[in-house]
Amino acid sequence: MIPREKHDRMANAIRFLSMDAVEKAKSGHPGLPMGAADIATVLFTKFMTFDPKRPEWPNRDRFVLSAGHGSMLIYSLLYLLGYEDITLEEIKNFRQLGYKTAGHPEYGHAAGIETTTGPLGQGLANAVGMAIAERKLADEFGSDLIDHHTYVLAGDGCLMEGISQEAIALAGHLKLNKLVVFWDNNGISIDGSVSLSDSTDQVARFQASGWNTIEVDGHDPDAVADAIVAAKSSDRPTMIACETTIGYGAPNKAGTAKAHGSPLGADEISGVRDTLDWPHEPFEIPSDVLDCWRLAGLRSTKEHKAWEDRVEATGAERRAAFTRRMAGELPGGFETAMDEYKKKLAADKPTLATRKASEAALQVINGIVPETIGGSADLTGSNNTKTEHTDAITPDDFSGRYIHYGIREHGMAAAMNGIALHGGLIPYSGGFLIFSDYCRPSIRLAAIMGIRVIHVLTHDSIGLGEDGPTHQPVEHLASLRAMPNLLMFRPADATETAECWQLALESEARPSGIALTRQNLPAVRTSYIEDNMCAFGAYDLVPASDADVTIFASGSEVEIALETCKKIEASGYTARVVSVPCFELFEEQSDEYKQAILGHSPVKIAIEAGVRQGWDRFIGNDGIFIGMSTFGASAPYKDLYSHFGITADVAFEAVEAKLNNLAGQAA
Ligand SMILES: Cc1ncc(C[n+]2csc(CCOP(=O)(O)OP(=O)(O)O)c2C)c(N)n1
């Protein structure tokens, strides 16, 4: 038991570091760290299992600060506990360029930051993914190797965001009993009292979603500790509603929105020093308090050692598999298996919808890569994401490899981020490309963090047909291509689909989206090529030197490009076809390669059943674009392609007109 006075001084160290750092930076959020300091002190001094000297220890407890604006809470903790990445110098340079102490916690900046938070609600949903990963790996490797908790600190804002409902519903359903959420229930957000905009009974909401709930005074360390003990023995995830005062200790601003997101000011800070009896200079932590924190930083050393001994005592095969998986390396034999599969495709030349081709590729992948964990947002039969290796995970049985995420795209994508961040698993999902809008914030965070999550995005154009414009993506490829560090693939046939899958899996430090068709497509790659051609981003499918016309196309429109090419050739001109499965990978090629692909044809044309945006890179401002400029319509897909003029005839006419025009000019 830590005596109350000692606890208070330790918590106050968080409060003063936080308010002083915000004051020096002239920006930031002092209120949350000051209000949640007691909860954090109890958690990190009595419960969390972690090792500041080995922050990547796979079996550490995870702590997610979902209310990322309170970042000084986590920076203070990491400094006080002795994490090397966060020095006092870092704290003094909070929110400054080149320092790890960014405005919101960013994964990869400093060890101990488990995920990037800032967009409210995301951290909570990431934590659900981490808890899923823990349970799955414990099932697979045994609790001697993986057995830890995931703790979250969420604010009112996190709980107001819609994503929180998707996340807690999934966690409640899966009975993720090693997930513990502290709700920093301070009743204040930016505009003022939470009651201005919300009157939800949060405790009842969590209970209705299958959670265990406990209500405590968040400034009573014993009550908080008792609640955590109770949470740890629950058979369900637990939400601990902690009543707190934002800006605790500030004589005038505590309990008000004034403490939320701006420096308290010199007078108020001086008042806090009096109120909390802290006669120390800014950034000065008395040595007895720092000692206590550093001691807390050592609390799991023995446990860590015992875990290492258990790993050592594990059979060589299991140890090697565990180590490989946690390092994120693909298994030996993966490349060979994909290569063999490509040979088979070259021989079979199947006509397939690329969503079916993706299923076939996954059949190979899931057989050889045991760390893939699939799923779908209730579109399994449409996304074709389930294979014979992936039985469903159920609340009572995590031996499967498939998550029925329910109709929760946003929660799914955020949970996948958490699974990837946990390590040991590669999550892939299923959804309609149109509904990437519903998970875009999480995909964006995956791109910022540089993590391997793979989104299978089917029904990728008007080619889906009768479901109509609400379901037909038009601007989605362009908008996803606009996102830095996301690989957006659009394969044209079964071979390209296999290649794109391979690239997505091999891209350890970025997320991928794979856009796939509902409609059947013929094989456009008809002979075996050892190289992964999709790795070039764009490549010659039908080469021709000094071609009069170059046709660029992606996915389902490559077939139309090939037909157009034939028509052009028949009319006496030369044409080449460039397949463009991935804009981003194309940009990463050498200048020579890019120049060669772009070429010098007098006529350039791009065909894609989406908007033009982005294609001028290939065809120039004066190129011909055959695609969409409006929303789609509800009809059988072939009728739609005719109606919107995405056909070889229309493409050929446009090319012919331009060629005639050029010839006229030359004459
Ligand atoms: C998705 C999203 N919307 C808006 C914001 C901007 N924002 C940051 S903090 C905040 C208020 C949060 O209130 P609360 O969770 O109660 O935090 P506290 O006031 O207790 O610090 C808002 C709206 C955000 N970070 N993320």
Side-chain angles (χ1 to χ4, degrees):
M1 225 12 148
I2 297 178
R4 180 66 200 245
E5 194 227 331
K6 191 167 134 189
H7 164 91
D8 288 347
R9 278 162 60 73
M10 291 176 80
N12 286 342
I14 296 175
R15 293 190 172 103
F16 282 95
L17 282 175
S18 300
M19 75 182 92
D20 287 338
V22 170
E23 197 66 18
K24 183 159 186 287
K26 299 194 184 67
S27 79
H29 301 76
L32 183 143
M34 293 170 76
D38 291 309
I39 303 165
T41 302
V42 172
L43 179 66
F44 278 83
T45 59
K46 291 186 174 169
F47 294 96
M48 280 284 290
T49 304
F50 60 99
D51 185 348
K53 299 283 172 251
R54 292 281 304 283
E56 305 303 326
W57 173 26
N59 198 36
R60 67 191 181 279
D61 284 339
R62 307 303 197 263
F63 173 71
V64 174
L65 179 64
S66 189
H69 59 280
S71 56
M72 268 312 305
L73 177 74
I74 198 160
Y75 301 146
S76 303
L77 282 166
L78 295 179
Y79 163 66
L80 292 166
L81 289 164
Y83 281 78
E84 280 167 15
D85 281 350
I86 302 291
T87 59
L88 204 52
E89 187 62 14
E90 286 284 345
I91 302 255
K92 287 180 183 169
N93 285 287
F94 176 48
R95 292 185 156 228
Q96 305 309 307
L97 190 64
Y99 287 87
K100 300 181 171 88
T101 42
H104 293 83
E106 293 188 42
Y107 172 73
H109 276 208
I113 297 171
E114 303 285 3
T115 178
T116 294
T117 51
L120 297 171
Q122 287 283 339
L124 172 57
N126 293 163
V128 170
M130 291 175 190
I132 290 173
E134 191 274 342
R135 182 101 172 260
K136 170 74 200 143
L137 292 170
D139 182 274
E140 209 175 337
F141 289 100
S143 56
D144 51 336
L145 295 193
I146 286 289
D147 177 13
H148 68 79
H149 282 77
T150 302
Y151 297 98
V152 184
L153 188 92
D156 301 305
C158 292
L159 299 197
M160 273 196 251
E161 290 291 350
I163 190 174
S164 69
Q165 185 55 37
E166 299 183 22
I168 68 171
L170 185 61
H173 169 72
L174 289 176
K175 296 190 191 151
L176 300 174
N177 65 323
K178 286 157 98 178
L179 176 64
V180 181
V181 173
F182 300 95
W183 168 32
D184 180 32
N185 175 18
N186 61 26
I188 293 291
S189 65
I190 293 179
D191 280 1
S193 168
V194 168
S195 65
L196 287 171
S197 56
D198 196 55
S199 36
T200 305
D201 180 340
Q202 295 291 0
V203 169
R205 175 165 83 114
F206 275 77
Q207 283 173 355
S209 304
W211 286 55
N212 171 38
T213 60
I214 303 170
E215 292 176 73
V216 296
D217 171 353
H219 298 298
D220 177 345
D222 294 336
V224 172
D226 290 347
I228 300 173
V229 171
K232 289 180 80 165
S233 63
S234 172
D235 59 355
R236 289 168 292 158
T238 297
M239 190 273 262
I240 307 177
C242 304
E243 202 174 313
T244 61
T245 303
I246 191 168
Y248 180 92
N252 305 301
K253 296 187 175 175
T256 75
K258 289 187 182 130
H260 166 88
S262 40
L264 294 179
D267 289 351
E268 186 75 359
I269 289 186
S270 148
V272 191
R273 285 193 150 72
D274 291 343
T275 312
L276 298 182
D277 189 20
W278 190 264
H280 313 289
E281 291 298 309
F283 304 109
E284 182 196 332
I285 304 297
S287 57
D288 64 312
V289 176
L290 190 59
D291 286 350
C292 290
W293 272 111
R294 291 290 151 92
L295 213 59
L298 300 175
R299 61 186 304 279
S300 316
T301 312
K302 266 196 205 144
E303 261 183 77
H304 186 185
K305 174 79 181 63
W307 178 84
E308 279 181 341
D309 292 345
R310 291 199 298 276
V311 173
E312 204 49 44
T314 297
E317 211 173 299
R318 193 165 74 123
R319 187 171 61 233
F322 182 76
T323 311
R324 177 187 72 72
R325 295 265 299 263
M326 295 312 294
E329 287 158 13
L330 292 169
F334 170 65
E335 274 177 46
T336 315
M338 293 307 283
D339 203 48
E340 289 305 312
Y341 177 55
K342 264 174 60 171
K343 283 182 187 156
K344 184 175 169 340
L345 289 174
D348 294 353
K349 303 179 190 29
T351 291
L352 277 180
T354 46
R355 63 176 172 147
K356 285 296 283 180
S358 168
E359 180 183 10
L362 275 170
Q363 184 68 21
V364 176
I365 291 161
N366 288 339
I368 194 146
V369 186
E371 56 266 41
T372 52
I373 177 162
S376 169
D378 200 46
L379 290 167
T380 298
S382 299
N383 303 145
N384 301 79
T385 38
K386 200 166 186 305
T387 69
E388 69 184 39
H389 316 88
T390 54
D391 286 340
I393 281 172
T394 70
D396 301 313
D397 182 359
F398 267 62
S399 62
R401 285 169 61 186
Y402 196 82
I403 302 172
H404 290 286
Y405 284 104
I407 307 110
R408 304 184 181 107
E409 286 87 354
H410 201 181
M412 169 176 74
M416 288 165 66
N417 289 354
I419 293 172
L421 286 161
H422 183 283
L425 294 163
I426 303 175
Y428 72 83
S429 71
F432 284 162
L433 177 58
I434 194 84
F435 302 132
S436 62
D437 286 342
Y438 273 43
C439 42
R440 191 177 173 91
S442 310
I443 299 178
R444 186 171 191 273
L445 282 163
I448 291 181
M449 290 191 271
I451 54 173
R452 178 172 41 191
V453 294
I454 303 171
H455 290 272
V456 170
L457 301 163
T458 69
H459 297 58
D460 71 348
S461 75
I462 53 164
L464 66 85
E466 293 83 347
D467 272 337
T470 58
H471 282 50
Q472 292 161 353
V474 172
E475 75 281 23
H476 296 76
L477 292 166
S479 92
L480 289 164
R481 285 171 184 149
M483 193 183 285
N485 207 36
L486 171 70
L487 293 178
M488 192 58 220
F489 294 105
R490 189 164 188 251
D493 73 353
T495 298
E496 280 201 2
T497 303
E499 289 184 343
C500 291
W501 259 112
Q502 182 168 359
L503 290 163
L505 284 163
E506 287 171 352
S507 298
E508 261 178 70
R510 48 188 166 177
S512 299
I514 311 181
L516 301 165
T517 65
R518 173 174 185 253
Q519 73 273 31
N520 273 346
L521 300 177
V524 297
R525 286 272 293 281
T526 47
S527 57
Y528 168 73
I529 305 172
E530 190 182 348
D531 280 343
N532 185 325
M533 297 309 289
C534 291
F536 296 99
Y539 66 94
D540 267 319
L541 190 62
V542 179
S545 52
D546 297 326
D548 301 308
V549 182
T550 297
I551 313 167
F552 300 90
S554 84
S556 38
E557 284 66 69
V558 172
E559 178 188 8
I560 298 173
L562 291 172
E563 231 181 293
T564 310
C565 179
K566 279 193 194 134
K567 287 179 187 286
I568 296 168
E569 295 276 343
S571 72
Y573 289 99
T574 52
R576 65 190 261 265
V577 176
V578 177
S579 178
V580 190
C582 183
F583 277 34
E584 299 78 25
L585 290 178
F586 175 68
E587 288 306 336
E588 290 171 16
Q589 305 309 308
S590 68
D591 287 344
E592 294 91 305
Y593 182 83
K594 282 187 275 195
Q595 256 329 307
I597 288 296
L598 295 175
H600 300 286
S601 297
V603 176
K604 292 184 178 178
I605 171 171
I607 314 177
E608 184 174 79
V611 295
R612 176 171 183 140
Q613 198 171 335
W615 282 101
D616 285 13
R617 168 77 174 110
F618 292 88
I619 58 175
N621 292 339
D622 56 349
I624 302 165
F625 181 72
I626 301 287
M628 299 292 292
S629 56
T630 62
F631 295 114
S634 172
Y637 86 91
K638 286 188 178 159
D639 295 349
L640 290 174
Y641 270 84
S642 299
H643 176 74
F644 288 105
I646 307 175
T647 63
D649 285 339
V650 172
F652 174 67
E653 274 168 33
V655 167
E656 200 180 34
K658 187 140 189 195
L659 285 168
N660 289 341
N661 200 356
L662 290 177
Q665 282 170 16

